[in-house]
């Protein structure tokens, strides 16, 4: 009789270690939520606040299922990049950060846990890491149909309550953050606009990053059709720079003439939005030129998370 083949690797062998590492990676991938804010009207803005908006706040509309004891403000980043804090005052207010130092595989659960923490925390306390064990999802804590009533800031002075003089260390931290901030704005494109288009002045160039809620593959086909037709832009002085994927959404990026203010791009953005909506309705196969455009656009696409 021939020798039977070994089906299992020896313990502690290189093959066993590689198999264990592969299984761990597969389990981690299975636990990662691809589109954490899906189902929320504010999904696109939540992605923008988490990924690239420097300084913005919004008062949250909590679900009727939450016994709200105090108001909660969503913020891009809090001092020390903590998950949450409760500001003391006549009416204590909770603040929850989207850009945090520590996070789990599901930012939806992170934010939900932080919001609930603010309701019972002592004023003056801060939360470094949200306890996500048994925490609900964000769609269970927020009103899923509510958009964000955003306030965009050009500094971090809001870190200190109005009328309060910060100590020298805090003042120095705010000054340092203010020096690094880039002017930003959310384009106002009307009630029928899809997604969230954000302008930023990066110095030599300005950009619009437009977070879109459509299926990624369908959106890429529509962008390819516009590119092949020479219509993938926001008007004169703009050009398509590429796109990135984050939290299950595709974000087209446009380079812009930095001499023009954010509001000067709103008309061109509305026109582009209308062209894109028409392209999304087309279900005919791509032409050879459109396929070349699609392949070129994909080659410039990157994934953040």
């Amino acid at each position: 009789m021939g020798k039977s083949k070994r089906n299992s690797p020896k313990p502690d062998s290189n093959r066993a270690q590689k198999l264990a590492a592969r299984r761990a990676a597969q389990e981690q991938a299975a636990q990662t939520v691809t589109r954490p804010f899906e189902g929320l009207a504010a999904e696109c803005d939540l992605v923008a606040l988490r990924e690239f908006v420097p300084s913005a706040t919004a008062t949250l509309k909590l679900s009727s299922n939450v016994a709200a004891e105090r108001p909660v403000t969503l913020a891009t980043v809090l001092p020390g990049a903590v998950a949450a804090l409760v500001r003391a005052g006549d009416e204590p207010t909770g603040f929850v950060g989207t850009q945090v130092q520590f996070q789990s595989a599901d930012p939806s659960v992170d934010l939900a846990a932080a919001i609930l923490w603010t309701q019972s925390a002592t004023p003056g306390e801060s939360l470094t890491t949200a306890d996500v064990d048994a925490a609900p999802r964000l769609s269970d804590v927020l009103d899923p149909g509510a958009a964000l009533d955003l306030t965009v800031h050009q500094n971090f002075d809001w870190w200190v309550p109005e009328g309060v003089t910060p100590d020298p260390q805090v003042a120095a931290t705010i000054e340092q953050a203010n020096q690094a901030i880039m002017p930003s704005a959310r384009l106002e494109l009307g009630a029928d606009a899809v997604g969230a288009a954000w302008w930023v002045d990066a110095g030599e160039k300005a950009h619009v990053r437009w977070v879109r809620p459509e299926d990624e593959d369908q959106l890429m086909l529509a962008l390819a059709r516009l590119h092949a037709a020479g219509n993938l832009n926001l008007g004169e002085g703009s050009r398509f720079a590429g796109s990135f994927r984050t939290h299950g959404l595709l974000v087209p990026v446009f380079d812009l003439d930095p001499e023009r203010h954010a509001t000067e791009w709103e008309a061109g953005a509305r026109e582009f939005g209308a062209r894109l909506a028409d392209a999304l309705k087309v279900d005919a196969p791509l032409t050879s030129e459109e396929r070349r455009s699609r392949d070129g656009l994909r080659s410039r696409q990157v994934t953040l998370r």
Side-chain angles (χ1 to χ4, degrees):
M1 295 180 62
K3 293 182 179 180
S4 62
K5 294 183 178 179
R6 184 183 299 276
N7 293 320
S8 300
K10 291 181 180 181
D12 299 326
S13 68
N14 287 337
R15 180 168 172 245
Q17 293 174 357
K18 290 179 179 179
L19 288 173
R22 185 182 305 167
R23 282 195 296 269
Q26 291 171 342
E27 291 174 0
Q28 177 65 32
Q31 294 174 0
T32 301
V33 178
T34 302
R35 193 168 170 176
F37 306 123
E38 187 174 14
L40 292 170
E43 178 184 20
C44 293
D45 277 315
L46 285 168
V47 170
L49 295 179
R50 182 171 167 80
E51 291 302 323
F52 55 78
V53 176
S55 183
T57 55
T59 300
L60 293 177
K61 185 177 182 181
L62 302 186
S63 167
S64 59
N65 299 325
V66 177
E69 299 294 332
R70 55 183 58 135
V72 182
T73 296
L74 183 74
T76 47
V77 62
L78 297 171
V82 297
L85 57 83
V86 176
R87 181 177 288 175
D90 294 337
E91 183 182 28
T93 302
F95 282 78
V96 176
T98 57
Q99 300 170 27
V100 295
Q101 187 173 1
F102 302 104
Q103 58 195 17
S104 73
D106 188 348
S108 171
V109 174
D110 290 341
L111 283 172
I115 290 169
L116 295 178
W117 174 87
T118 66
Q119 298 306 295
S120 58
T122 302
E125 282 190 310
S126 62
L127 177 69
T128 301
T129 307
D131 183 2
V132 298
D133 290 341
R137 297 189 59 73
L138 192 58
S139 55
D140 298 319
V141 175
L142 295 184
D143 177 349
L148 293 181
D149 184 11
L150 285 155
T151 300
V152 182
H153 306 274
Q154 304 307 328
N155 53 50
F156 289 97
D157 293 350
W158 57 268
W159 277 358
V160 177
E162 188 175 351
V164 174
T165 301
D167 63 49
Q169 184 176 357
V170 172
T173 300
I174 294 174
E175 179 61 26
Q176 184 178 12
N178 287 346
Q179 290 177 357
I181 202 170
M182 292 184 290
S184 300
R186 191 186 191 282
L187 298 190
E188 298 298 330
L189 304 181
D192 296 330
V194 176
W198 285 82
W199 170 91
V200 62
D201 181 356
E204 293 184 3
K205 291 181 181 179
H207 311 284
V208 160
R209 303 180 180 102
W210 198 329
V211 187
R212 303 288 306 193
E214 295 92 354
D215 173 82
E216 292 180 55
D217 292 334
Q218 295 302 312
L219 180 57
M220 181 58 71
L221 294 182
L223 293 174
R225 296 183 196 278
L226 293 181
H227 183 270
N231 290 324
L232 188 51
N233 59 72
L234 303 185
E236 185 179 354
S238 71
R239 72 175 188 87
F240 182 72
S243 61
F244 62 89
R245 300 172 63 250
T246 182
H247 298 311
L249 300 182
L250 190 63
V251 184
V253 181
F254 299 87
D255 286 344
L256 310 174
D257 178 355
E259 296 300 319
R260 294 170 61 181
H261 192 268
T263 56
E264 297 181 74
W265 296 104
E266 291 177 349
R270 281 191 286 268
E271 292 172 4
F272 170 77
R275 294 196 301 269
L276 182 58
D278 289 340
L280 283 163
K281 296 174 184 176
V282 178
D283 57 6
L286 295 180
T287 65
S288 58
E289 187 173 352
E290 289 170 344
R291 287 196 298 272
R292 285 193 294 271
S293 289
R294 177 200 59 193
D295 295 342
L297 296 181
R298 282 178 172 169
S299 69
R300 288 188 281 169
Q301 180 180 307
V302 298
T303 301
L304 296 187
R305 40 172 131 224

